[in-house]
Amino acid sequence: MEVSLGHKRKQQEFSMSSISNLFSSSSSTSTSPSPSPPVVACFSTDDLEFRFQRDSDSSDVIKFDLRVAQPPNTVFKLGPVQSVCISDGSEVAKELLGNLVLIQGHRIKNHPIILDENVMHQKFQKSYSRGITIVFNNEEQSKAFHCAFDQWKKEASVQGVHLGARLPNGTVSTSKSKFDDKIEASSAKMYFHYYGQLLHQQNMLQDYVRTGTYYAAVIENRADFAGRVVVDVGAGSGILSLFAAQAGAKHVYAVEASEMAEYARKLIAGNPSLGERITVVKGKVEEVELPEKADILISEPMGTLLVNERMLESYVIARDRFLLPGGKMFPGTGRIHMAPFSDEYLFIEIANKKALFWQQQSYYGVDLTPLYGSAFQGYFSQPVVDAFDPRLLVAPSIFHTIDFTKIKEEELYEIDIPLKFTSLVGARVHGLACWFDVLFDGSTVQRWLTTAPGAPTTHWYQLRCVLLQPLYVLAGQEITGQLRLIAHNAQSYTINLTMGVKMSGPGAERGEVLQLSSCKLDLKEPYYRMSQPQAYTVAPDQQQHPLIHTQDIHIQGQDADEPDVELQ
C-alpha cells in the first residue's frame, strides 16, 4: 500500500463510499444527511487543490483551495470510517472544531455528548464556505487516505507552499524540521543517497549476525508483536517490517526517508501475504505523520561505535512522537565497551608506513617533507575500523550504557565516559579499543547483538583510537582517563580521548599521573583496515603473564564516584 507521493506521481486518488454536507440547510436537525453515490477524492501538488468528484472524468467537482484554508489542517478524522473536510474558516471555526474533536474523544471513551446542532449550524454558516462529511468503505481505506494526505501536505510545503496560511504575494514560507536544523544539508544528501542504494542494503542484509539476530529477536518474541501496531524507524529495504509482519503484527508503518522506500514497496508488494499489513511512509521520522500510535518500535539505528550517523537521535524522536506509553523498543538498550590495547603492528603501520611517504625529499624532484607533520597528525586523527584479536587487550573492559527507552535526545549531543582500568600485563598501551552491543528485551526471550572482538564479525567490526604517544604500563598498574564524544553537523562525532598511567611503588597512594597521552579523532573519517587480525606475539618479558580472552574477563565492582561506568 503506497502512502507517499513522489515527483513522478503528482496525483493520487481514493475511492470513498459517500460524501455529504456537514450540516444540511434544508434540515438543520437531521443528524444523518442523505449520502451521495460513491465518489473519488484527488489531491495534486500541481494545483494545490483537494477535489471530490463522482469519478476521475466527472465534471461535477467540489474543490478546496488548500493555500487559503483555515485552520491549516483542513481534514479531520471523526471516527474509524468518517472524516470531515472544511475550508475558509475564522476564529469561530476553532470552537466548532473543538466541539468536533470533543465529540470524537468522547465517542472513543463511549461517553456520548449531544450538542445543540442548530447553534453549530449557525456558527458553521458564519465560519465556513463549505464543509463535507466523508464516509470511507472501511477503516483501512480511511487510514491510508489520512496518511497519504498528511504526507502530501508536507511534500507540498517542501516545494515552497505553506498550506493553510495566507501569504503575501512573492513570499515563500519554509519550515525546517529538527533534523534539518542540526544536520548539514550536504551531509544529509550524501547519507540518504548512500542508503538509497541496493548494494549497501545488500551489505547489511548479508551481515548474517545482524540480520539473524533481528529475526530471532522478533520471531522468538511473537507475544510482543502479535496484534500490535509497529513502526519501523529507518526501514531501509523493509526487512524488519516483514519480520514484524511474520510475527503477527496487526499493522506496520515502515518509515524511510531515502529512495530505498521505493524498493521497499516493491519488496513488500512481492510478499502480499505480509505486505497487506505494511504501509511504507516515505519521509523523515522527525517530519512524517502517522494515523495511529505504535505499541512497539523496531529499528537498526546503530553506527560505528554505536552512535555514528546520529540515527539514535531519530530513534529517540520516533519514540517521543509515535510510541504509546509502556510500549517496547527493539532494541531498547545499547552499550559502548572500551578497553586499552597493545598493537605494535598497527602503531608502526600508522606512524611509519603511512607517514613515511611524506618524508621523501625528492619525489619527482619535489621535497614532500614540509607536509610530513600535518600528514602524521592526520593519520592519528582517524579511528581505525577493523576486526582485531581480543588478546591484544591489556585490561578488562568497561562499558557505558545508553537506555533508548529513557534517554533524552539532547543527552546524545555530548557523551562523557570516565575511564578506569587495571592492567593485567606489562605492555605498551597504544590506545583504546571500542565495540558495542544492543539488547532486545523481549517478553519471552532476551537477546543480545554484539560486535565484540572474538565474536562472529559484523559489518560494524570494532573501532580503535590510537594515541600519538604510547603509554608504558606494568601489571597491576592503573590506567585512567576520559572518552568524550561531541556530536557535529556532519552526522557524526568528534572523539576526544585522554589516557594516563598512575605512578606505582612508593608515592602511589598520592595518585600522581606518571604518563599522559591524548588524541582527537573524527568518527566521520575512519581508517577502514579490513585485513585479518594479526597474530599476537608475546615479548620475552611478558611470558609469565597470561593472555587475555574476553570470556575470561570478570565483572568487577563499580566505584561509587563513577556512576556512569560499569565494569565487566
Side-chain angles (χ1 to χ4, degrees):
M1 179 186 302
E2 297 187 8
V3 300
S4 174
L5 297 177
H7 296 296
K8 295 180 181 179
R9 298 181 62 215
K10 296 291 185 181
Q11 178 170 299
Q12 190 160 345
E13 297 183 355
F14 285 86
S15 61
M16 298 174 177
S17 175
S18 64
I19 62 171
S20 58
N21 288 328
L22 183 59
F23 292 98
S24 172
S25 59
S26 61
S27 179
S28 62
T29 59
S30 173
T31 58
S32 301
S34 300
S36 69
V39 293
V40 173
C42 311
F43 38 87
S44 168
T45 51
D46 289 333
D47 50 22
L48 292 168
E49 284 185 338
F50 188 19
R51 303 189 300 277
F52 294 99
Q53 53 198 99
R54 297 291 166 82
D55 54 58
S56 300
D57 300 322
S58 174
S59 59
D60 185 9
V61 179
I62 301 175
K63 296 181 179 180
F64 289 82
D65 187 346
L66 297 173
R67 289 169 294 191
V68 298
Q70 294 254 350
N73 293 321
T74 56
V75 181
F76 296 88
K77 192 173 183 180
L78 298 182
V81 297
Q82 189 176 32
S83 298
V84 62
C85 183
I86 44 188
S87 68
D88 285 345
S90 67
E91 288 301 315
V92 182
K94 296 180 181 178
E95 181 182 349
L96 175 59
L97 287 174
N99 290 333
L100 291 172
V101 172
L102 187 62
I103 292 173
Q104 181 188 14
H106 281 266
R107 281 176 177 168
I108 292 173
K109 298 176 182 178
N110 296 319
H111 293 294
I113 287 183
I114 307 255
L115 297 177
D116 189 334
E117 190 171 311
N118 288 324
V119 174
M120 292 179 67
H121 174 62
Q122 292 173 5
K123 289 183 177 180
F124 171 78
Q125 287 182 318
K126 295 177 182 178
S127 307
Y128 293 96
S129 63
R130 180 175 291 117
I132 296 294
T133 300
I134 308 168
V135 179
F136 296 92
N137 293 304
N138 51 57
E139 186 174 354
E140 188 70 21
Q141 190 180 70
S142 173
K143 289 180 181 178
F145 169 81
H146 281 279
C147 196
F149 182 68
D150 289 342
Q151 187 64 21
W152 170 76
K153 287 196 301 179
K154 289 186 176 295
E155 292 184 2
S157 296
V158 169
Q159 296 177 25
V161 179
H162 190 65
L163 299 182
R166 293 181 172 87
L167 300 177
N169 289 336
T171 302
V172 175
S173 174
T174 59
S175 58
K176 284 189 174 183
S177 70
K178 198 165 189 179
F179 180 91
D180 296 327
D181 285 336
K182 66 185 180 182
I183 300 300
E184 190 178 71
S186 59
S187 174
K189 182 178 180 180
M190 292 182 64
Y191 174 78
F192 291 123
H193 172 74
Y194 180 70
Y195 281 102
Q197 300 177 60
L198 279 174
L199 290 177
H200 179 66
Q201 295 293 327
Q202 180 179 341
N203 178 47
M204 294 190 294
L205 290 171
Q206 288 183 318
D207 181 344
Y208 300 115
V209 175
R210 165 197 179 269
T211 307
T213 302
Y214 267 91
Y215 179 77
V218 173
I219 300 302
E220 291 172 349
N221 291 286
R222 288 178 180 271
D224 294 322
F225 288 85
R228 307 295 175 84
V229 175
V230 179
V231 171
D232 183 357
V233 182
S237 65
I239 190 70
L240 301 185
S241 296
L242 290 162
F243 289 171
Q246 286 184 46
K250 175 184 176 183
H251 201 87
V252 184
Y253 296 95
V255 183
E256 173 57 39
S258 77
E259 292 303 313
M260 187 53 55
E262 301 301 327
Y263 292 107
R265 289 191 179 106
K266 290 183 180 180
L267 181 63
I268 290 166
N271 293 267
S273 62
L274 302 173
E276 64 184 7
R277 288 179 283 122
I278 302 174
T279 300
V280 177
V281 183
K282 186 178 180 184
K284 304 183 186 76
V285 295
E286 293 87 351
E287 301 172 4
V288 301
E289 298 293 339
L290 300 180
E292 56 188 326
K293 295 287 187 178
D295 301 293
I296 185 166
L297 297 187
I298 189 168
S299 183
E300 194 265 76
M302 302 88 72
T304 308
L305 194 58
L306 183 62
V307 296
N308 188 38
E309 296 178 342
R310 298 184 64 179
M311 190 181 165
L312 281 180
E313 296 165 37
S314 296
Y315 191 34
V316 169
I317 290 172
R319 176 201 70 193
D320 295 339
R321 297 192 67 207
F322 304 131
L323 189 62
L324 287 167
K328 280 188 171 290
M329 299 177 73
F330 266 50
T333 301
R335 302 187 302 184
I336 300 174
H337 297 255
M338 298 145 287
F341 73 91
S342 178
D343 190 343
E344 208 69 48
Y345 289 103
L346 176 61
F347 185 79
I348 292 172
E349 178 183 330
I350 295 175
N352 293 342
K353 291 182 180 179
K354 292 183 72 174
L356 190 63
F357 172 82
W358 298 99
Q359 289 184 315
Q360 298 180 78
Q361 295 180 340
S362 182
Y363 183 73
Y364 291 95
V366 177
D367 183 0
L368 300 181
T369 57
L371 298 180
Y372 170 73
S374 298
F376 187 86
Q377 293 282 344
Y379 292 135
F380 278 93
S381 70
Q382 291 183 287
V384 178
V385 174
D386 68 350
F388 64 83
D389 193 321
R391 292 176 294 177
L392 297 175
L393 304 178
V394 303
S397 64
I398 63 174
F399 61 81
H400 175 77
T401 301
I402 300 176
D403 187 343
F404 304 148
T405 67
K406 296 179 180 178
I407 194 168
K408 296 179 181 178
E409 180 214 350
E410 293 77 13
E411 293 174 347
L412 292 167
Y413 294 174
E414 187 169 326
I415 303 171
D416 284 312
I417 307 173
L419 306 175
K420 187 177 181 181
F421 309 96
T422 299
S423 179
L424 298 182
V425 297
R428 282 216 311 173
V429 173
H430 293 103
L432 188 70
C434 306
W435 60 96
F436 71 86
D437 54 26
V438 294
L439 173 65
F440 301 90
D441 189 14
S443 300
T444 306
V445 177
Q446 288 188 333
R447 184 170 286 274
W448 287 92
L449 169 57
T450 182
T451 64
T457 303
T458 69
H459 77 284
W460 289 286
Y461 297 91
Q462 294 96 41
L463 179 137
R464 288 185 283 175
C465 302
V466 183
L467 296 168
L468 274 165
Q469 179 61 50
L471 302 171
Y472 293 83
V473 298
L474 302 175
Q477 208 164 14
E478 191 175 274
I479 304 169
T480 60
Q482 184 181 48
L483 179 67
R484 172 172 289 180
L485 307 174
I486 303 174
H488 58 65
N489 62 4
Q491 289 175 277
S492 194
Y493 285 78
T494 299
I495 303 173
N496 292 288
L497 172 65
T498 301
M499 297 179 70
V501 178
K502 288 189 176 181
M503 182 181 294
S504 60
E509 66 277 1
R510 296 195 298 269
E512 296 179 3
V513 176
L514 187 64
Q515 305 171 65
L516 191 66
S517 186
S518 63
C519 59
K520 183 177 181 180
L521 310 99
D522 187 355
L523 186 56
K524 179 79 171 183
E525 301 293 341
Y527 165 36
Y528 289 102
R529 182 178 180 257
M530 301 311 183
S531 59
Q532 292 297 316
Q534 296 284 353
Y536 181 74
T537 56
V538 181
D541 63 341
Q542 295 179 348
Q543 292 287 350
Q544 69 274 25
H545 301 300
L547 296 179
I548 302 173
H549 299 268
T550 52
Q551 60 266 31
D552 296 330
I553 298 175
H554 304 292
I555 297 177
Q556 301 179 359
Q558 181 179 345
D559 291 344
D561 59 345
E562 293 182 338
D564 293 330
V565 178
E566 300 168 84
L567 298 178
Q568 127 175 327

PDB file of all heavy atoms in Angstrom, residues 481-504:
ATOM      1  N   GLY A 481      41.448   7.969  32.603  1.00  0.00           N
ATOM      2  CA  GLY A 481      41.287   8.929  31.512  1.00  0.00           C
ATOM      3  C   GLY A 481      39.840   9.259  31.258  1.00  0.00           C
ATOM      4  O   GLY A 481      38.971   9.050  32.111  1.00  0.00           O
ATOM      5  N   GLN A 482      39.575   9.755  30.062  1.00  0.00           N
ATOM      6  CA  GLN A 482      38.225  10.155  29.693  1.00  0.00           C
ATOM      7  C   GLN A 482      38.034  10.010  28.190  1.00  0.00           C
ATOM      8  O   GLN A 482      38.920  10.335  27.397  1.00  0.00           O
ATOM      9  CB  GLN A 482      37.953  11.605  30.100  1.00  0.00           C
ATOM     10  CG  GLN A 482      36.513  12.058  29.825  1.00  0.00           C
ATOM     11  CD  GLN A 482      36.283  13.494  30.222  1.00  0.00           C
ATOM     12  OE1 GLN A 482      37.071  14.371  29.885  1.00  0.00           O
ATOM     13  NE2 GLN A 482      35.206  13.754  30.958  1.00  0.00           N
ATOM     14  N   LEU A 483      36.861   9.507  27.813  1.00  0.00           N
ATOM     15  CA  LEU A 483      36.439   9.452  26.415  1.00  0.00           C
ATOM     16  C   LEU A 483      35.259  10.402  26.270  1.00  0.00           C
ATOM     17  O   LEU A 483      34.222  10.216  26.910  1.00  0.00           O
ATOM     18  CB  LEU A 483      36.029   8.027  26.023  1.00  0.00           C
ATOM     19  CG  LEU A 483      35.534   7.850  24.581  1.00  0.00           C
ATOM     20  CD1 LEU A 483      36.664   8.081  23.587  1.00  0.00           C
ATOM     21  CD2 LEU A 483      34.928   6.454  24.398  1.00  0.00           C
ATOM     22  N   ARG A 484      35.411  11.417  25.457  1.00  0.00           N
ATOM     23  CA  ARG A 484      34.348  12.405  25.257  1.00  0.00           C
ATOM     24  C   ARG A 484      33.935  12.403  23.787  1.00  0.00           C
ATOM     25  O   ARG A 484      34.774  12.578  22.893  1.00  0.00           O
ATOM     26  CB  ARG A 484      34.813  13.793  25.677  1.00  0.00           C
ATOM     27  CG  ARG A 484      33.828  14.902  25.326  1.00  0.00           C
ATOM     28  CD  ARG A 484      34.216  16.230  25.933  1.00  0.00           C
ATOM     29  NE  ARG A 484      34.011  16.226  27.378  1.00  0.00           N
ATOM     30  CZ  ARG A 484      34.274  17.278  28.156  1.00  0.00           C
ATOM     31  NH1 ARG A 484      34.757  18.394  27.632  1.00  0.00           N
ATOM     32  NH2 ARG A 484      34.048  17.200  29.448  1.00  0.00           N
ATOM     33  N   LEU A 485      32.650  12.233  23.546  1.00  0.00           N
ATOM     34  CA  LEU A 485      32.095  12.228  22.196  1.00  0.00           C
ATOM     35  C   LEU A 485      31.223  13.466  22.031  1.00  0.00           C
ATOM     36  O   LEU A 485      30.256  13.653  22.784  1.00  0.00           O
ATOM     37  CB  LEU A 485      31.255  10.967  21.963  1.00  0.00           C
ATOM     38  CG  LEU A 485      31.933   9.625  22.264  1.00  0.00           C
ATOM     39  CD1 LEU A 485      30.947   8.479  22.121  1.00  0.00           C
ATOM     40  CD2 LEU A 485      33.132   9.407  21.354  1.00  0.00           C
ATOM     41  N   ILE A 486      31.552  14.305  21.049  1.00  0.00           N
ATOM     42  CA  ILE A 486      30.813  15.544  20.812  1.00  0.00           C
ATOM     43  C   ILE A 486      30.219  15.493  19.411  1.00  0.00           C
ATOM     44  O   ILE A 486      30.941  15.405  18.416  1.00  0.00           O
ATOM     45  CB  ILE A 486      31.721  16.774  20.965  1.00  0.00           C
ATOM     46  CG1 ILE A 486      32.363  16.804  22.364  1.00  0.00           C
ATOM     47  CG2 ILE A 486      30.941  18.064  20.717  1.00  0.00           C
ATOM     48  CD1 ILE A 486      33.378  17.885  22.552  1.00  0.00           C
ATOM     49  N   ALA A 487      28.894  15.562  19.319  1.00  0.00           N
ATOM     50  CA  ALA A 487      28.202  15.465  18.031  1.00  0.00           C
ATOM     51  C   ALA A 487      28.482  16.691  17.169  1.00  0.00           C
ATOM     52  O   ALA A 487      28.596  17.810  17.673  1.00  0.00           O
ATOM     53  CB  ALA A 487      26.701  15.319  18.257  1.00  0.00           C
ATOM     54  N   HIS A 488      28.608  16.470  15.862  1.00  0.00           N
ATOM     55  CA  HIS A 488      28.736  17.605  14.928  1.00  0.00           C
ATOM     56  C   HIS A 488      27.735  17.435  13.788  1.00  0.00           C
ATOM     57  O   HIS A 488      27.090  16.392  13.637  1.00  0.00           O
ATOM     58  CB  HIS A 488      30.174  17.778  14.427  1.00  0.00           C
ATOM     59  CG  HIS A 488      30.765  16.587  13.724  1.00  0.00           C
ATOM     60  ND1 HIS A 488      30.290  16.104  12.533  1.00  0.00           N
ATOM     61  CD2 HIS A 488      31.824  15.775  14.054  1.00  0.00           C
ATOM     62  CE1 HIS A 488      31.015  15.082  12.131  1.00  0.00           C
ATOM     63  NE2 HIS A 488      31.945  14.839  13.049  1.00  0.00           N
ATOM     64  N   ASN A 489      27.604  18.492  12.968  1.00  0.00           N
ATOM     65  CA  ASN A 489      26.508  18.539  11.989  1.00  0.00           C
ATOM     66  C   ASN A 489      26.747  17.707  10.738  1.00  0.00           C
ATOM     67  O   ASN A 489      25.947  17.750   9.804  1.00  0.00           O
ATOM     68  CB  ASN A 489      26.191  19.988  11.607  1.00  0.00           C
ATOM     69  CG  ASN A 489      27.358  20.688  10.939  1.00  0.00           C
ATOM     70  OD1 ASN A 489      28.406  20.101  10.675  1.00  0.00           O
ATOM     71  ND2 ASN A 489      27.188  21.967  10.660  1.00  0.00           N
ATOM     72  N   ALA A 490      27.848  16.954  10.709  1.00  0.00           N
ATOM     73  CA  ALA A 490      28.078  16.032   9.596  1.00  0.00           C
ATOM     74  C   ALA A 490      27.624  14.623   9.976  1.00  0.00           C
ATOM     75  O   ALA A 490      28.129  13.633   9.453  1.00  0.00           O
ATOM     76  CB  ALA A 490      29.549  16.025   9.183  1.00  0.00           C
ATOM     77  N   GLN A 491      26.678  14.554  10.898  1.00  0.00           N
ATOM     78  CA  GLN A 491      26.063  13.291  11.328  1.00  0.00           C
ATOM     79  C   GLN A 491      27.059  12.336  11.972  1.00  0.00           C
ATOM     80  O   GLN A 491      26.987  11.125  11.781  1.00  0.00           O
ATOM     81  CB  GLN A 491      25.356  12.603  10.152  1.00  0.00           C
ATOM     82  CG  GLN A 491      24.086  13.325   9.707  1.00  0.00           C
ATOM     83  CD  GLN A 491      23.475  12.715   8.482  1.00  0.00           C
ATOM     84  OE1 GLN A 491      23.894  13.013   7.361  1.00  0.00           O
ATOM     85  NE2 GLN A 491      22.481  11.877   8.652  1.00  0.00           N
ATOM     86  N   SER A 492      27.970  12.895  12.736  1.00  0.00           N
ATOM     87  CA  SER A 492      28.934  12.046  13.413  1.00  0.00           C
ATOM     88  C   SER A 492      29.427  12.737  14.675  1.00  0.00           C
ATOM     89  O   SER A 492      28.771  13.666  15.177  1.00  0.00           O
ATOM     90  CB  SER A 492      30.099  11.695  12.476  1.00  0.00           C
ATOM     91  OG  SER A 492      30.862  10.640  13.016  1.00  0.00           O
ATOM     92  N   TYR A 493      30.584  12.313  15.172  1.00  0.00           N
ATOM     93  CA  TYR A 493      31.099  12.811  16.438  1.00  0.00           C
ATOM     94  C   TYR A 493      32.597  13.103  16.344  1.00  0.00           C
ATOM     95  O   TYR A 493      33.337  12.441  15.610  1.00  0.00           O
ATOM     96  CB  TYR A 493      30.905  11.768  17.547  1.00  0.00           C
ATOM     97  CG  TYR A 493      29.486  11.649  18.046  1.00  0.00           C
ATOM     98  CD1 TYR A 493      28.531  10.951  17.310  1.00  0.00           C
ATOM     99  CD2 TYR A 493      29.093  12.213  19.251  1.00  0.00           C
ATOM    100  CE1 TYR A 493      27.223  10.825  17.762  1.00  0.00           C
ATOM    101  CE2 TYR A 493      27.788  12.096  19.715  1.00  0.00           C
ATOM    102  CZ  TYR A 493      26.862  11.404  18.970  1.00  0.00           C
ATOM    103  OH  TYR A 493      25.574  11.292  19.418  1.00  0.00           O
ATOM    104  N   THR A 494      33.023  14.093  17.115  1.00  0.00           N
ATOM    105  CA  THR A 494      34.436  14.309  17.382  1.00  0.00           C
ATOM    106  C   THR A 494      34.780  13.532  18.643  1.00  0.00           C
ATOM    107  O   THR A 494      34.083  13.621  19.657  1.00  0.00           O
ATOM    108  CB  THR A 494      34.745  15.799  17.586  1.00  0.00           C
ATOM    109  OG1 THR A 494      34.411  16.514  16.385  1.00  0.00           O
ATOM    110  CG2 THR A 494      36.210  16.007  17.925  1.00  0.00           C
ATOM    111  N   ILE A 495      35.860  12.745  18.580  1.00  0.00           N
ATOM    112  CA  ILE A 495      36.289  11.920  19.711  1.00  0.00           C
ATOM    113  C   ILE A 495      37.482  12.578  20.383  1.00  0.00           C
ATOM    114  O   ILE A 495      38.504  12.830  19.731  1.00  0.00           O
ATOM    115  CB  ILE A 495      36.674  10.499  19.259  1.00  0.00           C
ATOM    116  CG1 ILE A 495      35.508   9.834  18.526  1.00  0.00           C
ATOM    117  CG2 ILE A 495      37.121   9.652  20.444  1.00  0.00           C
ATOM    118  CD1 ILE A 495      35.865   8.489  17.901  1.00  0.00           C
ATOM    119  N   ASN A 496      37.351  12.882  21.653  1.00  0.00           N
ATOM    120  CA  ASN A 496      38.465  13.384  22.444  1.00  0.00           C
ATOM    121  C   ASN A 496      38.834  12.325  23.482  1.00  0.00           C
ATOM    122  O   ASN A 496      38.026  12.013  24.365  1.00  0.00           O
ATOM    123  CB  ASN A 496      38.096  14.692  23.137  1.00  0.00           C
ATOM    124  CG  ASN A 496      37.898  15.832  22.150  1.00  0.00           C
ATOM    125  OD1 ASN A 496      38.852  16.343  21.566  1.00  0.00           O
ATOM    126  ND2 ASN A 496      36.653  16.229  21.945  1.00  0.00           N
ATOM    127  N   LEU A 497      40.038  11.772  23.344  1.00  0.00           N
ATOM    128  CA  LEU A 497      40.488  10.700  24.230  1.00  0.00           C
ATOM    129  C   LEU A 497      41.711  11.132  25.014  1.00  0.00           C
ATOM    130  O   LEU A 497      42.678  11.643  24.434  1.00  0.00           O
ATOM    131  CB  LEU A 497      40.815   9.445  23.415  1.00  0.00           C
ATOM    132  CG  LEU A 497      41.482   8.289  24.176  1.00  0.00           C
ATOM    133  CD1 LEU A 497      40.538   7.723  25.243  1.00  0.00           C
ATOM    134  CD2 LEU A 497      41.931   7.195  23.207  1.00  0.00           C
ATOM    135  N   THR A 498      41.659  10.954  26.307  1.00  0.00           N
ATOM    136  CA  THR A 498      42.809  11.189  27.184  1.00  0.00           C
ATOM    137  C   THR A 498      43.023   9.942  28.031  1.00  0.00           C
ATOM    138  O   THR A 498      42.065   9.414  28.617  1.00  0.00           O
ATOM    139  CB  THR A 498      42.573  12.395  28.108  1.00  0.00           C
ATOM    140  OG1 THR A 498      42.342  13.556  27.305  1.00  0.00           O
ATOM    141  CG2 THR A 498      43.788  12.634  28.995  1.00  0.00           C
ATOM    142  N   MET A 499      44.265   9.464  28.077  1.00  0.00           N
ATOM    143  CA  MET A 499      44.598   8.302  28.894  1.00  0.00           C
ATOM    144  C   MET A 499      45.894   8.581  29.655  1.00  0.00           C
ATOM    145  O   MET A 499      46.813   9.220  29.124  1.00  0.00           O
ATOM    146  CB  MET A 499      44.761   7.041  28.041  1.00  0.00           C
ATOM    147  CG  MET A 499      43.495   6.625  27.310  1.00  0.00           C
ATOM    148  SD  MET A 499      43.693   5.150  26.267  1.00  0.00           S
ATOM    149  CE  MET A 499      43.888   3.871  27.521  1.00  0.00           C
ATOM    150  N   GLY A 500      45.940   8.135  30.898  1.00  0.00           N
ATOM    151  CA  GLY A 500      47.128   8.336  31.722  1.00  0.00           C
ATOM    152  C   GLY A 500      47.412   7.113  32.575  1.00  0.00           C
ATOM    153  O   GLY A 500      46.531   6.292  32.827  1.00  0.00           O
ATOM    154  N   VAL A 501      48.665   7.004  33.009  1.00  0.00           N
ATOM    155  CA  VAL A 501      49.095   5.892  33.860  1.00  0.00           C
ATOM    156  C   VAL A 501      49.538   6.460  35.190  1.00  0.00           C
ATOM    157  O   VAL A 501      50.379   7.367  35.244  1.00  0.00           O
ATOM    158  CB  VAL A 501      50.245   5.096  33.215  1.00  0.00           C
ATOM    159  CG1 VAL A 501      50.698   3.969  34.140  1.00  0.00           C
ATOM    160  CG2 VAL A 501      49.815   4.544  31.864  1.00  0.00           C
ATOM    161  N   LYS A 502      48.979   5.930  36.271  1.00  0.00           N
ATOM    162  CA  LYS A 502      49.339   6.408  37.600  1.00  0.00           C
ATOM    163  C   LYS A 502      50.655   5.787  38.061  1.00  0.00           C
ATOM    164  O   LYS A 502      51.026   4.692  37.648  1.00  0.00           O
ATOM    165  CB  LYS A 502      48.221   6.086  38.601  1.00  0.00           C
ATOM    166  CG  LYS A 502      46.976   6.939  38.414  1.00  0.00           C
ATOM    167  CD  LYS A 502      45.993   6.737  39.544  1.00  0.00           C
ATOM    168  CE  LYS A 502      44.798   7.677  39.396  1.00  0.00           C
ATOM    169  NZ  LYS A 502      43.825   7.531  40.505  1.00  0.00           N
ATOM    170  N   MET A 503      51.299   6.503  38.955  1.00  0.00           N
ATOM    171  CA  MET A 503      52.574   6.055  39.495  1.00  0.00           C
ATOM    172  C   MET A 503      52.371   4.778  40.309  1.00  0.00           C
ATOM    173  O   MET A 503      51.366   4.621  41.004  1.00  0.00           O
ATOM    174  CB  MET A 503      53.174   7.146  40.379  1.00  0.00           C
ATOM    175  CG  MET A 503      54.524   6.808  40.969  1.00  0.00           C
ATOM    176  SD  MET A 503      55.130   8.142  42.015  1.00  0.00           S
ATOM    177  CE  MET A 503      55.376   9.421  40.787  1.00  0.00           C
ATOM    178  N   SER A 504      53.328   3.868  40.238  1.00  0.00           N
ATOM    179  CA  SER A 504      53.304   2.655  41.050  1.00  0.00           C
ATOM    180  C   SER A 504      54.481   2.687  42.001  1.00  0.00           C
ATOM    181  O   SER A 504      55.434   3.446  41.829  1.00  0.00           O
ATOM    182  CB  SER A 504      53.383   1.411  40.155  1.00  0.00           C
ATOM    183  OG  SER A 504      54.576   1.426  39.388  1.00  0.00           O
TER     184      SER A 504
END
